[in-house]
Amino acid sequence: MLKKILLLSTLFTLGFLNQALAKEKPLIVLDGQEALNNQKVCWYENKRYTEGAYIAVGDIRLICTAKQPNFSNSDLAWLRLNANGEIIYPKQPKTIHVN
């Protein structure tokens, strides 16, 4: 009896895995330590892009560049390019100064 239960559970598990793997996209595994040790990058569609990379998404052109151009250690982000190829930086929030 135990052998039948084990056999049925194994067959059920294999059938379930086969169904799940047939419908799902391939699993992409990122090594966290590699990401921490590696240089800063921008990601798009599970691909890494280094600073200065250009991509087009529909009619929008993007460049992988520093979020904060005034800081040398700024994180990278995808920023839009205008018609002249100049980077459009996001507007900085207004700050309140207290004396």
Side-chain angles (χ1 to χ4, degrees):
M1 181 70 172
L2 182 59
K3 287 183 181 180
K4 287 183 182 179
I5 293 173
L6 184 58
L7 179 62
L8 286 174
S9 65
T10 303
L11 290 174
F12 176 77
T13 303
L14 290 175
F16 177 77
L17 286 175
N18 189 27
Q19 285 272 350
L21 292 175
K23 293 181 181 177
E24 296 293 325
K25 291 182 178 180
L27 177 65
I28 296 174
V29 178
L30 173 66
D31 181 13
Q33 191 61 39
E34 177 189 345
L36 291 174
N37 292 338
N38 207 348
Q39 64 183 354
K40 295 180 181 180
V41 294
C42 294
W43 288 89
Y44 183 73
E45 292 186 344
N46 295 323
K47 294 179 185 170
R48 292 187 286 189
Y49 293 86
T50 57
E51 187 171 7
Y54 288 91
I55 61 171
V57 180
D59 294 335
I60 300 171
R61 293 183 308 152
L62 302 171
I63 184 171
C64 178
T65 189
K67 278 185 190 177
Q68 305 288 331
N70 300 331
F71 300 106
S72 62
N73 63 346
S74 176
D75 289 332
L76 298 179
W78 290 111
L79 297 178
R80 292 179 78 168
L81 296 172
N82 65 15
N84 297 328
E86 298 165 340
I87 300 171
I88 303 171
Y89 288 99
K91 294 180 182 176
Q92 297 296 324
K94 294 184 179 181
T95 58
I96 299 174
H97 297 283
V98 178
N99 292 333

